[in-house]
Amino acid sequence: MGKDKVKRMSLLELRNVSKIYGDLHALDKVSLQVEKGEWVAIMGPSGSGKSTMMNIIGCMDKPSEGEVLLDGIDIAKETAKNLTNIRRDKIGLIFQQFHLVSYLTALENVMMAQYYHSIPDEKEAMEALERVGLADRARHLPSQLSGGEQQRVCVARALINYPEIILADEPTGNLDEANEEIVVDLFRRLHEDGTTLIVVTHDPEVAEVAQRTLVLRNGRLDHETINPNFTGHIKLS
Amino acid sequence: MLVALLAIMIGATILSGLVTIYYDVPRQMGAQFRSYGANMIFTGTQELFNMEDVEAGVRHIKASELVGVAPYRYETVRIHDRPIMAAGTDMDGARKSSPFWKVSGEWPKADGEIMVGKNVADTFRLREGDSLIATFAPETDGDEIILDNEMTFIVTGILDTGGNEEDYVYLSLDDLEELTGEETTLDVCELSVSASADQLTAYADAISNNVEGINARLVKRVTQSETAVLSKLQALVLLVTIVVLALTMICVATTMTAVVTERRKEIGLRKALGASDASIISEFMGEGLLLGGIGGVFGSLLGFVFAQVVSVSVFNSSISFRFGLLPITVIVSIIVTGIACMLPVKSATNVDPALVLKGE
């Protein structure tokens, strides 16, 4: 394992990362590594620092201390403008509340991510919707889609620009069991295609299908669980 | 957004309408002021001058601005042995240059007709249709009056002005020439010109300098009153326009702030997806400026309707559409909207995606 650690370069590495608000340590010297193509679940009670960690990894916030290396770049030292560019080029985001623009169709919502990344391509956006099984719902507004369908549009939007890493914050939090299974299955396929996934969840069933699960408590990394079905992955440093 | 568009349209309407009125007020008010009488006077540089001199002077004034020309020759005549001042004039010109004269009956139209002032009529108990005999006595021999000429006139109207004119009788220049037996020369010529004070001064200078025999002067109590009233009216219109533009700006800024607040989640999402501050600014500013342009176009058209209604109802005359005002209104609307959008758009760039997407 130690040999692997030397040879294989992490896609994401947090080194003693802290986020401090006054006296509150939302994150307290957290260190971890995520390898390219890995599927990691993050669990923990409310206030444990999950969202703070996701915001920092997603380039929407900066740590108070420590280093955050994403694809070799220390994003803790980058300017806000560069963080926007990194987020646009390397990260796909999936939200619990879907956050689709209400006056745009499913297809247009996917194309919006293309617009900020490069050039909107309707054919490619349609292929992304086909990938999540929503080609026939492409021209529907979010209000005309079920919760599961909206989350699948969100997944299509997250993967349209081929990001290095997909961050999903409680992706099944607003879904029923059937739709939860559909979304988890999509993650499974994305993982098989080599996409790196970090999923924050409260749901143990969703966490269990990941390669490993990190549990946060009071801003610290409490422990890690490795799914026995996956092998050869890097442990916490 | 519809509220913002309406605010811009109303602002542009008021702007376009008031600017149209602002530029048209001098013409409109100038026409109104002409009812107060002559605002320019020709006098002779020597003593007397004639109609040829007047015509030469009038040629320096733009025909469209010339309202009336009333040449006057004054002679003392005798009516029932009492000396009365007779004014020979061009009746049509006198009516145009002194529209405030109130005539009971008719203005003289033909030879042998005369209009008498109210005091003269009272003195001699004259009424419309009466005849009077006027004699001209230029020479005397001691106390003896040598009657030189005598004419009979039909009184067509009684003149009521409240001024000195009521002590005069008015007849045509030809009749006065016939009565006096002397070729017509003029004592004074009153002109009514619908032009600004500056333009009037320019006309007066040009005539005095170029027409030999005439000295052109402005009736300052009229021109200065006109200038003062017009200046105040234009200042009022300008002030109202500025206030309306400021209110429009506040309304658009408030509406855009509400729009940004309402769309905070969308802005946060766009930023999370990689939208730069520049693209957020260009999107929201673009929407704002587009609204400004659309509002400006419709506003300038509605402004013309507004100005037309005001002009017809207040000044009783119509105005023509100023095509040059269309691009100006659109540009001003876009600028006003742009300024109004600055703060809301700046607040849009300050949206923290991490906070708003969490629902905070």
Side-chain angles (χ1 to χ4, degrees):
Chain A
M1 195 68 73
K3 195 178 172 185
D4 279 350
K5 202 172 179 180
V6 173
K7 278 183 179 175
R8 302 168 81 171
M9 187 176 170
S10 300
L11 177 65
L12 174 70
E13 184 173 355
L14 274 66
R15 293 178 183 164
N16 294 316
V17 170
S18 298
K19 184 69 182 180
I20 303 165
Y21 301 101
D23 295 332
L24 175 69
H25 286 61
L27 281 181
D28 192 3
K29 296 187 185 307
V30 172
S31 297
L32 65 86
Q33 290 178 324
V34 177
E35 201 179 306
K36 190 171 177 63
E38 203 177 2
W39 181 356
V40 176
I42 298 175
M43 293 189 76
S46 294
S48 60
K50 301 188 302 293
S51 294
T52 305
M53 181 189 278
M54 288 296 270
N55 287 339
I56 290 172
I57 296 171
C59 299
M60 291 191 282
D61 201 355
K62 281 180 156 189
S64 307
E65 295 170 1
E67 295 176 349
V68 182
L69 297 172
L70 177 61
D71 211 12
I73 302 166
D74 185 0
I75 58 176
K77 292 176 181 164
E78 292 296 333
T79 61
K81 187 180 177 186
N82 285 346
L83 286 179
T84 299
N85 293 340
I86 292 167
R87 187 165 63 239
R88 182 189 65 204
D89 295 336
K90 295 183 182 297
I91 296 168
L93 294 166
I94 298 170
F95 309 96
Q96 181 179 358
Q97 284 97 3
F98 322 132
H99 292 310
L100 299 175
V101 178
S102 59
Y103 56 85
L104 299 180
T105 63
L107 184 67
E108 288 164 343
N109 267 286
V110 176
M111 288 169 71
M112 188 171 74
Q114 289 179 307
Y115 171 75
Y116 292 118
H117 182 266
S118 48
I119 299 169
D121 182 339
E122 188 174 332
K123 186 166 171 264
E124 198 176 21
M126 188 58 91
E127 284 169 4
L129 285 173
E130 277 173 14
R131 209 169 155 192
V132 299
L134 283 179
D136 58 331
R137 311 285 278 169
R139 308 288 174 186
H140 288 66
L141 292 170
S143 58
Q144 298 167 315
L145 301 173
S146 69
E149 287 172 330
Q150 289 187 55
Q151 191 58 293
R152 281 147 70 191
V153 174
C154 193
V155 172
R157 184 179 64 191
L159 59 85
I160 187 69
N161 294 323
Y162 306 102
E164 299 279 353
I165 188 166
I166 284 183
L167 303 179
D169 190 0
E170 298 282 4
T172 58
N174 281 339
L175 303 183
D176 58 26
E177 205 170 318
N179 278 305
E180 179 181 305
E181 182 54 41
I182 291 170
V183 170
V184 168
D185 191 50
L186 275 173
F187 286 169
R188 193 174 285 122
R189 279 157 48 196
L190 288 172
H191 174 67
E192 285 167 5
D193 292 343
T195 305
T196 308
L197 287 162
I198 298 180
V199 181
V200 168
T201 182
H202 273 104
D203 188 341
E205 288 184 13
V206 174
E208 277 171 12
V209 294
Q211 282 172 282
R212 60 184 170 123
T213 303
L214 307 175
V215 179
L216 290 173
R217 199 174 299 277
N218 297 324
R220 288 174 174 271
L221 211 45
D222 188 68
H223 65 275
E224 168 193 11
T225 309
I226 295 175
N227 185 334
N229 296 326
F230 292 94
T231 56
H233 297 292
I234 299 163
K235 289 184 177 177
L236 302 174
S237 56
Chain B
M1 280 297 187
L2 188 64
V3 176
L5 180 62
L6 278 174
I8 297 163
M9 271 176 59
I10 291 168
T13 300
I14 302 294
L15 169 71
S16 169
L18 288 185
V19 170
T20 302
I21 292 167
Y22 180 88
Y23 283 108
D24 212 52
V25 154
R27 183 180 71 80
Q28 303 276 16
M29 290 301 291
Q32 297 291 317
F33 276 121
R34 291 305 89 244
S35 63
Y36 294 110
N39 52 1
M40 188 184 285
I41 285 177
F42 289 172
T43 53
T45 49
Q46 303 300 319
E47 276 191 1
L48 300 173
F49 59 105
N50 57 32
M51 280 305 293
E52 286 178 12
D53 298 325
V54 171
E55 285 163 9
V58 164
R59 276 196 286 273
H60 288 270
I61 299 171
K62 200 187 282 184
S64 60
E65 293 177 346
L66 193 63
V67 177
V69 180
Y72 288 99
R73 175 187 176 186
Y74 297 104
E75 295 290 355
T76 304
V77 299
R78 285 187 170 271
I79 298 172
H80 299 299
D81 286 340
R82 292 186 66 170
I84 298 291
M85 187 62 78
T89 188
D90 169 34
M91 293 296 167
D92 192 43
R95 183 161 45 191
K96 287 175 180 170
S97 63
S98 300
F100 61 93
W101 283 6
K102 186 179 171 189
V103 176
S104 171
E106 298 289 330
W107 285 68
K109 289 174 186 166
D111 291 345
E113 292 184 341
I114 197 167
M115 178 168 70
V116 300
K118 186 167 174 291
N119 292 341
V120 176
D122 290 344
T123 301
F124 300 111
R125 294 179 182 174
L126 293 170
R127 287 187 294 186
E128 295 165 47
D130 289 350
S131 62
L132 66 81
I133 297 169
T135 56
F136 181 65
E139 296 175 15
T140 57
D141 181 8
D143 291 337
E144 188 184 356
I145 300 167
I146 303 168
L147 296 179
D148 189 44
N149 205 356
E150 180 179 289
M151 282 180 72
T152 302
F153 292 96
I154 302 294
V155 176
T156 60
I158 313 294
L159 177 62
D160 183 357
T161 67
N164 294 336
E165 295 88 351
E166 293 183 3
D167 296 325
Y168 295 6
V169 295
Y170 290 85
L171 62 165
S172 71
L173 285 166
D174 290 342
D175 281 347
L176 189 60
E177 183 176 329
E178 189 179 337
L179 181 63
T180 59
E182 293 173 358
E183 192 178 336
T184 297
T185 51
L186 301 172
D187 294 293
V188 68
C189 180
E190 294 181 0
L191 294 93
S192 180
V193 184
S194 182
S196 66
D198 290 343
Q199 187 61 48
L200 283 172
T201 304
Y203 285 149
D205 291 344
I207 292 164
S208 296
N209 293 333
N210 295 305
V211 181
E212 203 175 334
I214 283 185
N215 183 24
R217 290 185 292 114
L218 302 183
V219 182
K220 286 190 176 170
R221 67 184 162 84
V222 176
T223 54
Q224 283 178 350
S225 299
E226 282 186 36
T227 306
V229 171
L230 284 176
S231 300
K232 284 176 183 173
L233 198 58
Q234 286 185 315
L236 181 67
V237 168
L238 196 62
L239 185 68
V240 171
T241 305
I242 290 168
V243 169
V244 168
L245 284 180
L247 289 175
T248 303
M249 203 180 286
I250 291 167
C251 188
V252 172
T254 308
T255 309
M256 287 304 283
T257 302
V259 167
V260 167
T261 306
E262 195 178 289
R263 291 170 63 180
R264 269 166 59 85
K265 278 198 173 173
E266 183 192 328
I267 295 164
L269 173 69
R270 288 175 186 271
K271 291 184 84 170
L273 292 177
S276 62
D277 285 352
S279 62
I280 295 288
I281 289 170
S282 65
E283 281 171 38
F284 277 86
M285 195 56 100
E287 282 183 32
L289 297 184
L290 183 65
L291 286 180
I294 295 170
V297 170
F298 283 103
S300 57
L301 299 176
L302 290 172
F304 171 69
V305 176
F306 167 68
Q308 188 73 276
V309 170
V310 170
S311 184
V312 169
S313 58
V314 176
F315 300 112
N316 205 25
S317 75
S318 62
I319 54 170
S320 53
F321 186 75
R322 288 174 176 269
F323 284 97
L325 204 55
L326 180 65
I328 291 170
T329 307
V330 172
I331 289 168
V332 170
S333 298
I334 289 173
I335 291 171
V336 166
T337 313
I339 294 170
C341 285
M342 277 181 179
L343 277 180
V345 169
K346 180 76 178 76
S347 73
T349 62
N350 292 334
V351 168
D352 183 342
L355 288 179
V356 297
L357 295 180
K358 263 290 173 192
E360 294 177 24

